[in-house]
Amino acid sequence: MKLGIVGLPNVGKSTLFNSLTKAGAESANYPFCTIDPNVGVVTVPDERLKLLGDMYQSKKVTPAVIEFVDIAGLVKGASKGEGLGNQFLSNIREVDAVVHVVRCFEDTNVVHVDGSISPLRDIETINLELVFSDIEILERRIAKTSRGARNDKTLAKELALLERIKAHLEEGNLAKSFETEDEDEAAWLQSYNLLTYKPVIFAANVAEDDLANDGADNAHVAAVREFAAKENCEVFVICAQIEQEISELDDEEKAMFLEDLGLQESGLEKLIKASYRLLGLISYLTAGEDETRAWTIKVGTKAPQAAGKIHTDFERGFIKAEVVNYKDLLEHGSLSAAKEKGLVGLEGKDYVVKDGDVILFRFNV
């Protein structure tokens, strides 16, 4: 999974990126500090892996990972080359979802690029830049498609779609609110990789005082939540400054620190849960002496395709899958003990994999 982090300058974006990835992207109280997109890979915290790894005494425990891409702070006019311009927008065309960091804290020491705190205005500024960037992409596509559309019905149909999407965006709408008329149109729209078609998670960056009650008393957070609900986006509340402090601690210190703050989980854990929900992802597990590992798949994935995540041969030569819920496996201490209790299923090609399944694939190629 790949997530792109966007936001206006000085909203806490690079601070958040640093804390999530410990990659040390430079962060400073002025715009355009992040000159190149920074990329960091983060492991997905998963208690199930540790427990299974201990049970099997695995030589290796491999969690799922998320790749974060930190994009330089966008400003009004970025799509026209203002600030550091549109070059950064191309860096998030390949991501699965956009994490939009929105400033919801007051601090006279940290200047706001527009002079005051207004999350909805900030969201609109970023959205407009993404819309303008998408219109440019569509214009290039229209020019290319129109050359062959006269003599090709399929290209003529696609050209009509491109022009309808462009008109939709020119009215200030996002591509994800565009309604396609058939499967062809839906497939084409997806293939254009438009920024405003991607799922969005809003990270409401608050002061430490607003963290314990999840921003319940913060009017800025309330405004972001209301906006996100209309747009079918996820929201999570974070204090980037606190996240940076947490990132310096070991697991035991982190747990104590979170407890002192009255928090159940870190911002990273909130973000991962939000992104898994938004993208419809789950993890299944494989476990043994050599390795215990988490594999990320889409909700609704069937056993052969899940096997294909490990190796294409597993999918091609799929025979059966031995499946047990991780809780049952841990409770009984071994696969054979779980089998004796009738808790291990032998599943075929139509089995839909569930979150927390521990699977042993049988295949033959």
Side-chain angles (χ1 to χ4, degrees):
M1 177 161 51
K2 195 171 183 179
L3 303 177
I5 303 180
V6 300
L8 289 171
N10 299 342
V11 296
K13 186 174 57 63
S14 288
T15 307
L16 175 61
F17 174 80
N18 290 347
S19 60
L20 293 179
T21 64
K22 300 184 188 173
E26 189 185 352
S27 104
N29 178 22
Y30 56 86
F32 314 128
C33 178
T34 316
I35 301 300
D36 292 310
N38 291 278
V39 178
V41 175
V42 179
T43 57
V44 175
D46 194 335
E47 181 66 14
R48 302 172 299 189
L49 281 180
K50 184 185 180 306
L51 296 170
L52 287 168
D54 288 348
M55 189 185 97
Y56 277 99
Q57 297 182 320
S58 304
K59 292 171 192 161
K60 192 172 161 191
V61 174
T62 309
V65 295
I66 296 179
E67 192 173 309
F68 286 102
V69 183
D70 178 35
I71 313 299
L74 291 171
V75 289
K76 203 173 284 184
S79 61
K80 301 293 178 202
E82 288 295 319
L84 287 167
N86 201 2
Q87 57 181 307
F88 299 108
L89 295 175
S90 63
N91 294 312
I92 54 171
R93 288 212 179 269
E94 301 309 314
V95 302
D96 299 304
V98 174
V99 180
H100 185 162
V101 184
V102 189
R103 180 169 166 178
C104 295
F105 66 88
E106 305 278 351
D107 186 343
T108 52
N109 295 317
V110 182
V111 295
H112 189 288
V113 74
D114 285 330
S116 61
I117 310 303
S118 173
L120 296 188
R121 179 198 60 212
D122 294 355
I123 289 169
E124 188 181 349
T125 298
I126 295 283
N127 279 351
L128 273 175
E129 292 312 312
L130 302 185
V131 164
F132 292 146
S133 181
D134 282 348
I135 289 172
E136 275 184 35
I137 294 286
L138 290 170
E139 283 171 346
R140 289 203 288 273
R141 194 94 189 203
I142 286 167
K144 188 179 170 186
T145 308
S146 57
R147 288 198 286 272
R150 283 183 191 170
N151 306 314
D152 188 318
K153 282 185 181 176
T154 304
L155 285 179
K157 181 180 175 180
E158 185 180 0
L159 180 61
L161 171 70
L162 286 161
E163 286 171 341
R164 275 169 42 224
I165 300 169
K166 182 171 173 265
H168 180 76
L169 294 181
E170 283 172 342
E171 289 172 6
N173 302 306
L174 307 182
K176 63 182 169 187
S177 65
F178 181 83
E179 290 184 16
T180 53
E181 292 177 1
D182 58 31
E183 285 181 11
D184 286 343
E185 288 194 352
W188 280 326
L189 175 54
Q190 194 160 7
S191 74
Y192 301 148
N193 227 359
L194 299 175
L195 296 173
T196 61
Y197 189 65
K198 294 186 183 294
V200 175
I201 303 163
F202 289 107
N205 189 13
V206 300
E208 184 183 333
D209 295 347
D210 284 323
L211 205 53
N213 68 354
D214 209 33
D217 301 326
N218 184 313
H220 298 313
V221 174
V224 174
R225 282 187 169 133
E226 191 180 331
F227 178 84
K230 289 180 197 160
E231 298 289 325
N232 292 322
C233 300
E234 288 277 344
V235 181
F236 74 105
V237 172
I238 197 164
C239 174
Q241 217 52 57
I242 291 292
E243 284 303 308
Q244 189 141 31
E245 290 176 39
I246 289 172
S247 72
E248 308 296 327
L249 305 174
D250 64 31
D251 287 349
E252 200 174 310
E253 290 171 326
K254 186 165 95 175
M256 286 168 64
F257 188 61
L258 288 171
E259 196 179 323
D260 288 346
L261 290 168
L263 302 175
Q264 301 292 318
E265 56 191 355
S266 70
L268 175 61
E269 288 162 319
K270 284 185 190 175
L271 172 53
I272 288 168
K273 283 182 183 173
S275 50
Y276 269 61
R277 275 196 305 271
L278 190 67
L279 296 170
L281 300 174
I282 57 170
S283 293
Y284 78 87
L285 312 159
T286 53
E289 282 181 26
D290 286 335
E291 184 182 35
T292 291
R293 182 165 181 166
W295 304 88
T296 304
I297 55 170
K298 286 263 188 192
V299 171
T301 300
K302 291 185 177 177
Q305 288 70 49
K309 290 288 280 186
I310 301 173
H311 199 286
T312 50
D313 284 353
F314 282 32
E315 182 174 355
R316 197 157 49 91
F318 179 88
I319 301 170
K320 290 283 181 186
E322 283 189 19
V323 183
V324 60
N325 181 272
Y326 81 97
K327 286 181 183 171
D328 292 333
L329 182 55
L330 288 168
E331 189 182 331
H332 292 88
S334 72
L335 190 63
S336 54
K339 274 182 185 172
E340 283 174 22
K341 296 287 182 183
L343 298 168
V344 180
L346 197 58
E347 307 292 353
K349 290 183 176 180
D350 291 328
Y351 177 73
V352 176
V353 176
K354 300 181 190 67
D355 188 54
D357 277 350
V358 181
I359 307 181
L360 178 66
F361 291 107
R362 294 183 184 175
F363 71 103
N364 184 32
V365 286

